């Protein structure tokens, strides 16, 4: 916080350029074939399925802000990937009737990136920063006064000719999203007025998401077909939506194009997605811990090296669902497969014994 003044070279200040890395993506009319995720994103609370407790709180917060004619407090969404953090930010902007500028922390590497975006904001607008836990220290310190009192402190020139300038900013709302709330620095976390966790979806909610997506893509699907895909989507709409497309391909090539329970199950079996929604990587991870490390505990770096995945993918993508499903446990000494994990992979006992036959 002591770095209220940011050392920006002259160039930074005069031309807060953002075009080099294009850190801002403006949501606009999209072509479904090119940008599938944006095309099926719900735009309002009425079409956004799931996260009902969060939606109720947000509706009240939005109404209060509108009554006061003030921007929303800064919001932080956290939770596993694919649960709709970006989508929800878009819905909030739409409901508030304001523009949203979308960027992500890795695109804000240089001071000029974040300064440029902040200076491009209009009053009331929303700035969405994805993966906010990856923001560097300099960018974070530029954000502190911007979030708290809506100004930038900038220093231009070199040593003896140095000048400090306080630049006012319009009142804006920052929405941050992260898969790792624990990695956010305390001072940054404290500047968010509202902090919410997004939950995994139930099978019934996912079936609704699937039917909605199928409707937009003009794919025929029945209730049981939607539930069959939902059950193997790991509580995650992003996965459910991806699977609808894959299953639809199968339905079209092997049958009449309609997704039924039988077609969904056959197609997902071929894709090697099991009845819990685990894919080959998930099963490989559990199997490795059981067979090579007696069920654990074993460090995540060791697992990543052994199965050829990077640690971040395992931590951010694979683990959250395995932990939530109770198949994997996190201990201070590393990861452990739970008894349910053993059973799921077809091992009879809690400890692997080399005479056992696995189902995989
Ligand atoms: N697609 C992705 N997430 C969704 C949601 N929460 N509701 C409706 N469609 C979605």
């Amino acid at each position: 916080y002591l770095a209220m003044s940011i050392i920006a070279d002259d160039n930074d200040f005069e031309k807060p350029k953002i075009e080099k890395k294009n850190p801002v993506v403006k949501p606009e009319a999209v072509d479904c074939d090119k940008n599938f995720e944006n095309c099926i994103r719900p735009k309002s609370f009425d079409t956004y399925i799931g996260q009902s407790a969060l939606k109720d709180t947000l509706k009240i917060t939005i109404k209060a802000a509108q009554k006061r004619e003030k921007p929303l407090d800064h919001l932080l969404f956290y939770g596993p990937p694919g649960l709709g953090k970006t989508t929800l930010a878009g819905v909030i902007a739409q409901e508030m009737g304001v523009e949203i500028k979308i960027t992500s922390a890795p695109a804000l590497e240089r001071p000029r990136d974040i300064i440029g975006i902040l200076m491009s904001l209009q009053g009331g607008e929303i700035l969405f920063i994805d993966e906010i836990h990856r923001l560097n220290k300099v960018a974070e310190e530029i954000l502190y006064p911007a979030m708290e009192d809506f100004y930038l402190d900038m220093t231009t020139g070199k040593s003896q000719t140095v000048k400090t300038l306080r630049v006012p900013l319009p009142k804006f709302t920052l929405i941050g999203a992260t898969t790792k709330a624990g990695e956010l620095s305390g001072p940054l976390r404290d500047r968010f007025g509202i902090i919410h966790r997004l939950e995994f979806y139930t099978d019934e909610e996912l079936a609704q998401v699937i039917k909605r997506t199928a409707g937009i893509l003009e794919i025929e699907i029945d209730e049981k077909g939607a539930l069959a895909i939902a059950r193997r989507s790991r509580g995650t709409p992003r996965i459910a939506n991806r699977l609808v497309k894959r299953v639809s391909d199968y339905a079209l090539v092997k049958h009449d194009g309609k997704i039924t329970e039988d077609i969904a199950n056959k197609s997902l079996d071929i894709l090697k997605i099991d009845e819990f929604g685990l894919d080959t990587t998930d099963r490989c991870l559990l199997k490795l811990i059981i067979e090579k490390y007696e069920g654990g505990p074993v460090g995540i770096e060791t697992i990543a090296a052994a199965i050829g995945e990077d640690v971040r993918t395992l931590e951010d993508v694979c683990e959250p669902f395995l932990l939530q499903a109770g198949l994997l446990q996190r201990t201070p000494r590393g990861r452990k497969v739970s008894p349910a994990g053993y059973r799921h992979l077809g091992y009879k006992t809690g400890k692997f014994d080399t005479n056992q036959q696995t189902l995989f």
Side-chain angles (χ1 to χ4, degrees):
Y1 197 27
L2 38 96
M4 293 280 278
S5 54
I6 309 304
I7 310 293
D9 59 38
D10 290 341
N11 218 12
D12 267 327
F13 178 52
E14 279 160 22
K15 290 178 275 163
K17 273 194 267 168
I18 52 170
E19 70 274 10
K20 209 170 184 184
K21 286 182 126 186
N22 192 19
V24 177
V25 182
K26 262 203 138 200
E28 51 205 15
V30 281
D31 173 345
C32 250
D33 287 336
K34 283 199 198 124
N35 197 335
F36 168 64
E37 251 195 46
N38 271 0
C39 166
I40 56 166
R41 270 189 214 288
K43 303 279 184 294
S44 67
F45 282 129
D46 291 341
T47 48
Y48 186 98
I49 296 153
Q51 312 293 345
S52 50
L54 173 53
K55 268 190 339 191
D56 289 345
T57 321
L58 287 174
K59 281 182 195 167
I60 291 172
T61 313
I62 290 174
K63 282 229 169 78
Q66 284 172 331
K67 275 198 164 173
R68 289 193 189 106
E69 296 184 14
K70 289 217 166 126
L72 272 184
D73 270 357
H74 304 303
L75 274 153
L76 179 69
F77 291 142
Y78 70 97
L83 297 189
K85 296 185 278 292
T86 313
T87 307
L88 203 49
V91 168
I92 292 170
Q94 184 82 13
E95 299 275 349
M96 289 286 294
V98 298
E99 286 287 314
I100 179 167
K101 291 199 164 115
I102 300 174
T103 187
S104 91
L108 304 174
E109 208 175 83
R110 303 160 304 178
R112 71 171 70 164
D113 297 323
I114 182 101
I115 290 171
I117 289 177
L118 288 169
M119 289 183 65
S120 76
L121 294 170
Q122 311 278 317
E125 279 187 2
I126 293 178
L127 172 61
F128 178 78
I129 305 183
D130 203 5
E131 297 190 75
I132 196 157
H133 62 280
R134 294 176 66 185
L135 217 54
N136 63 43
K137 219 56 249 123
V138 176
E140 248 188 44
E141 289 186 351
I142 293 171
L143 263 185
Y144 294 161
M147 288 174 77
E148 208 157 15
D149 298 312
F150 304 104
Y151 69 82
L152 287 174
D153 250 351
M154 291 201 291
T155 314
T156 61
K158 307 243 155 64
S159 52
Q160 270 141 22
T161 60
V162 75
K163 276 191 226 129
T164 308
L165 261 156
R166 179 163 289 197
V167 182
L169 290 170
K171 294 210 163 90
F172 68 98
T173 299
L174 176 68
I175 303 185
T178 177
T179 50
K180 295 189 167 161
E183 284 186 17
L184 225 64
S185 73
L188 182 57
R189 204 172 39 233
D190 291 347
R191 282 169 173 81
F192 287 97
I194 306 165
I195 301 182
H196 277 295
R197 187 188 135 92
L198 273 82
E199 304 292 342
F200 281 112
Y201 285 59
T202 63
D203 290 348
E204 290 67 30
E205 287 168 344
L206 283 182
Q208 283 186 55
V209 171
I210 289 164
K211 284 186 285 176
R212 177 179 176 273
T213 302
I216 295 170
L217 302 180
E218 298 180 351
I219 293 166
E220 223 191 315
I221 188 165
D222 66 18
E223 193 66 43
K224 284 187 170 169
L227 256 177
I229 300 177
R231 275 190 222 105
R232 303 203 204 186
S233 298
R234 310 165 59 118
T236 309
R238 182 181 292 155
I239 296 179
N241 285 332
R242 243 187 253 143
L243 292 181
V244 178
K245 280 187 54 167
R246 296 288 69 79
V247 174
S248 153
D249 290 349
Y250 179 86
L252 195 63
V253 173
K254 296 282 185 189
H255 294 270
D256 56 0
K258 181 174 173 183
I259 301 177
T260 60
E261 183 177 21
D262 184 48
I263 294 289
N265 285 333
K266 279 192 178 128
S267 156
L268 294 168
D269 285 344
I270 290 170
L271 291 168
K272 298 211 179 316
I273 293 165
D274 69 24
E275 66 277 17
F276 260 43
L278 307 198
D279 62 16
T280 323
T281 310
D282 303 313
R283 285 192 300 271
C284 191
L285 181 151
L286 295 174
K287 200 165 177 242
L288 175 96
I289 302 177
I290 293 172
E291 295 193 0
K292 297 272 191 291
Y293 299 96
E294 298 182 328
V298 55
I300 190 76
E301 284 84 9
T302 310
I303 301 170
I307 64 174
E309 276 288 352
D310 68 274
V311 172
R312 189 166 269 157
T313 308
L314 293 185
E315 281 184 342
D316 293 356
V317 183
C318 300
E319 273 195 351
F321 183 73
L322 294 175
L323 293 166
Q324 145 97 14
L327 302 174
L328 190 70
Q329 292 163 343
R330 224 184 207 152
T331 75
R333 291 192 299 128
R335 275 56 170 178
K336 253 179 92 171
V337 177
S338 70
Y342 272 82
R343 282 196 300 277
H344 183 67
L345 285 196
Y347 294 95
K348 285 183 233 119
T349 59
K351 281 279 172 214
F352 176 66
D353 125 29
T354 43
N355 294 323
Q356 276 187 43
Q357 273 294 312
T358 74
L359 297 178
F360 298 90

